[in-house]
Amino acid sequence: LEYHSLIEKLAATERNFGDVWDIVSINDEVFFRTTTRIFKLNNDLLTVYKANSEWMFLGKANNTLYAQDNETGILYYSSNNWYPLEQNNTLAKNNPVTDVLVLNNRMVYFTTLKNGIFQLIDNQLKKLISPPLASIENNRIYAAKSINKEFMALGTSNNGLYIIDKDGKLIQHFSKKEGLQNNNILSLKT
C-alpha cells in the first residue's frame, strides 16, 4: 500500500478545500466530495465541479451518481455534467441526505437526517409514508443500508437501529433496551 497525493493535479486556485467527506467510484472514475467541490479523477486527470452553495452528499444507486447541493437539491451526473433531479427541489436547504439505497433491484430510496425517506419515481421524489416512519424520522436517520431486495436498515442517532421493508413497514427494532451499547448508530456495514 502506497500513498499518492492528487493535489499536484489541481490548479493552485483549486487546492484550498476542507475535508473529503465521500469517495465514490463509478465507471472507471473516482469522485471525491468536499463541501465546496466535487473532484472527478479519470485517466489521471482531475476535473472540478463547484457547488452552487454547499455539496452535502455524494452516493450512487443503479449505476447512477447522485449529489446533493444545499440550494439546488438532488442532482444526477451524466455526460460530464450535473443535472437537477426534479424541478420542485424537494430535498434542498437543511434536509441532508444520509444515503441512497436500492431495493427490488431497481427502486431508489434517499434517506434524510430529519425528514424521513423519499422514493424516486419517474424522476420525482415522493415521501415514503407509514406510521413507523413518522416515529423513525423524529429519531434522525444517520445511516442506512440495503439488507436485501426487500429490507433496509436505518441507524438513528436517538433510538438505535430499525429494519423496515420497501413500503416502510417496521420489521424489527434494536435499541439499548434490546441490548445495544447505546442508541446512537453512526454507520452501518452490510
Side-chain angles (χ1 to χ4, degrees):
L1 184 62
E2 192 174 329
Y3 173 77
H4 295 276
S5 175
L6 300 175
I7 200 80
E8 69 277 354
K9 297 182 186 309
L10 290 171
T13 57
E14 300 295 342
R15 294 180 181 179
N16 186 18
F17 57 90
D19 295 331
V20 173
W21 293 98
D22 298 309
I23 301 172
V24 177
S25 63
I26 187 168
N27 301 331
D28 297 324
E29 299 174 324
V30 180
F31 293 80
F32 305 85
R33 179 188 67 88
T34 70
T35 55
T36 58
R37 296 168 185 82
I38 291 177
F39 302 105
K40 177 183 77 172
L41 178 64
N42 185 9
N43 293 326
D44 212 34
L45 297 172
L46 277 174
T47 305
V48 179
Y49 299 95
K50 293 186 178 181
N52 288 334
S53 62
E54 178 182 1
W55 290 117
M56 298 175 63
F57 171 80
L58 180 68
K60 72 176 177 180
N62 285 344
N63 211 35
T64 300
L65 188 65
Y66 296 98
Q68 182 187 26
D69 178 83
N70 193 42
E71 293 288 330
T72 312
I74 300 291
L75 299 104
Y76 68 93
Y77 181 81
S78 178
S79 302
N80 296 316
N81 287 303
W82 291 97
Y83 300 97
L85 186 62
E86 59 180 5
Q87 297 301 316
N88 64 0
N89 203 8
T90 302
L91 293 179
K93 289 201 178 186
N94 302 315
N95 190 8
V97 170
T98 54
D99 216 326
V100 58
L101 313 169
V102 177
L103 297 180
N104 277 346
N105 293 326
R106 69 185 198 299
M107 298 304 299
V108 176
Y109 297 83
F110 290 91
T111 59
T112 67
L113 183 65
K114 303 175 194 173
N115 295 321
I117 301 171
F118 292 78
Q119 187 176 17
L120 182 60
I121 301 171
D122 297 326
N123 283 339
Q124 292 294 312
L125 293 169
K126 308 288 184 195
K127 186 165 185 174
L128 190 60
I129 298 173
S130 74
L133 284 178
S135 172
I136 293 169
E137 73 182 53
N138 290 330
N139 291 306
R140 296 181 175 250
I141 301 170
Y142 205 83
K145 289 292 176 217
S146 299
I147 296 174
N148 57 33
K149 292 179 181 181
E150 297 291 321
F151 300 150
M152 68 179 87
L154 305 172
T156 68
S157 58
N158 296 328
N159 201 19
L161 178 75
Y162 293 88
I163 309 295
I164 64 167
D165 72 4
K166 62 184 175 45
D167 299 316
K169 178 183 171 191
L170 180 64
I171 305 302
Q172 200 159 8
H173 175 227
F174 300 97
S175 67
K176 192 171 182 178
K177 189 168 101 177
E178 286 80 28
L180 291 181
Q181 185 175 359
N182 64 54
N183 284 330
N184 189 11
I185 307 295
L186 298 176
S187 65
L188 297 171
K189 302 291 181 207
T190 57

